[in-house]
Amino acid sequence: MSWSSAGGPGHIRGDGAVTAHAPAKVNVSLAVGPLREDGFHGLQTVYLAVSLLDTVTVRPGEGLSVSVTGEGTGGPDPVPTDRRNLVWRAAELLAEHAGVPADAAIAVDKTIPAAAGLAGGSADAAAALVALDALWGTRATRGDLTELAARLGSDVPFGLAGGVAIGTGRGEQLTPVLARRQWHWVLGIADGGLSTPAVYAELDRLRAAGRVPDGTAVPSPEPVLAALRSGPTAALAAALANDLQAPAISLRPALRRALRAATDAGAAAALVSGSGPTVAALADGEDAALRLAAVLAGEGVFRTVRVVHGPVPGARLVG
């Protein structure tokens, strides 16, 4: 598991800015338990951080401000730039923890689409924590930032950690996994997002109707972990699983065609990433991923495709 914060003047540029990157995630496996009394579902997931990165740059400011540019910032449902944005809440939380004024101008440059099942908002929050720790000199420990991340959202701790990890609880309780082998994927990104709460609600509806398993039987993650460690690609392809795929397809039937298009184009396997609607297509090496992306880009099934690899480190300072 990788994490970098360091703080101090070494990462503050001449213009007073600090920049951090954080990665998207793919849930290589995702088992969702029944709805709990606290309103959450228990999860057992295997996270993989991939090389689709958002960039967060923070500068001294008076009060808080957030600007967002890049992927998914326009259209009918733009990324919010107020307290609804996890970056804003991350800044408030770190300032409260450290006892410093929440003064910063925060600029988010997105390549991870919003509401796509890739945890882009969580990645932004993780990068903001790391960058603001350096800007404000809070000297927060790794444990401090991880605790704050868990308070922000289920996927934010993994945005800090990166690499490969088993997530339990709501996904925020992480166990790092050593997996040195690189895996290559093509992400098929659709027009429009899917609401994560809506996908979970649809899962509950399908379970109540007896159309999908009730989630009480949790499979062992070991086949996925063994495949991630050493392969072959066919072993990982056979182990991919996502309990949210069925409800995502129920809400967005075009996903069925998108998954089929990926496998028909040569993917070893394809699954909906997290709550969707992004399709993560596993390729047998970098060259195969480039060929797969070229075919899918030409078919027009997705708004855009991205070739990525993983595991990659979590949120870290750059520059």
Side-chain angles (χ1 to χ4, degrees):
M1 187 177 290
S2 176
W3 175 85
S4 174
S5 181
H11 288 281
I12 299 178
R13 302 199 301 265
D15 61 356
V18 180
T19 296
H21 287 161
K25 59 81 182 168
V26 170
N27 298 91
V28 182
S29 73
L30 177 55
V32 181
L35 185 65
R36 305 187 313 198
E37 289 186 1
D38 63 2
F40 292 99
H41 294 77
L43 301 182
Q44 177 186 272
T45 187
V46 177
Y47 289 113
L48 173 72
V50 296
S51 57
L52 191 65
L53 306 175
D54 276 1
T55 303
V56 174
T57 300
V58 300
R59 292 178 171 85
E62 294 184 7
L64 279 177
S65 65
V66 174
S67 63
V68 185
T69 57
E71 179 70 48
T73 58
D77 190 22
V79 175
T81 56
D82 53 20
R83 200 173 187 277
R84 293 172 295 167
N85 193 307
L86 276 180
V87 164
W88 187 294
R89 301 208 293 274
E92 289 183 329
L93 202 58
L94 179 61
E96 179 185 5
H97 169 81
V100 300
D103 293 336
I106 307 172
V108 181
D109 184 16
K110 294 193 65 61
T111 60
I112 307 170
L118 298 169
S122 296
D124 298 342
L129 286 173
V130 168
L132 289 168
D133 169 55
L135 180 72
W136 291 337
T138 68
R139 300 191 179 277
T141 67
R142 171 176 173 165
D144 291 336
L145 292 188
T146 299
E147 181 180 343
L148 297 177
R151 291 169 60 185
L152 288 165
S154 300
D155 292 331
V156 183
F158 184 70
L160 279 175
V164 178
I166 302 170
T168 54
R170 293 181 286 108
E172 85 286 7
Q173 299 171 18
L174 298 180
T175 302
V177 174
L178 184 63
R180 292 193 177 94
R181 174 174 170 169
Q182 285 287 306
W183 294 94
H184 298 272
W185 304 77
V186 175
L187 302 180
I189 298 166
D191 272 320
L194 270 177
S195 159
T196 298
V199 175
Y200 275 97
E202 181 67 3
L203 175 64
D204 292 336
R205 188 189 72 80
L206 293 176
R207 284 176 169 173
R211 294 173 56 187
V212 296
D214 63 12
T216 55
V218 179
S220 168
E222 189 51 42
V224 173
L225 299 177
L228 280 171
R229 290 187 192 106
S230 58
T233 302
L236 182 57
L240 298 179
N242 179 7
D243 283 352
L244 295 181
Q245 180 163 296
I249 291 172
S250 179
L251 294 173
R252 187 75 63 84
L255 278 173
R256 195 180 305 277
R257 174 173 172 248
L259 290 162
R260 185 164 53 249
T263 53
D264 288 349
L271 83 168
V272 172
S273 178
S275 57
T278 300
V279 168
L282 176 64
D284 191 11
E286 183 177 6
D287 289 345
L290 293 170
R291 291 193 298 270
L292 174 60
V295 172
L296 290 176
E299 291 188 351
V301 177
F302 302 103
R303 176 171 59 81
T304 189
V305 297
R306 294 283 186 266
V307 178
V308 299
H309 63 272
V312 299
R316 62 200 185 279
L317 298 172
V318 295

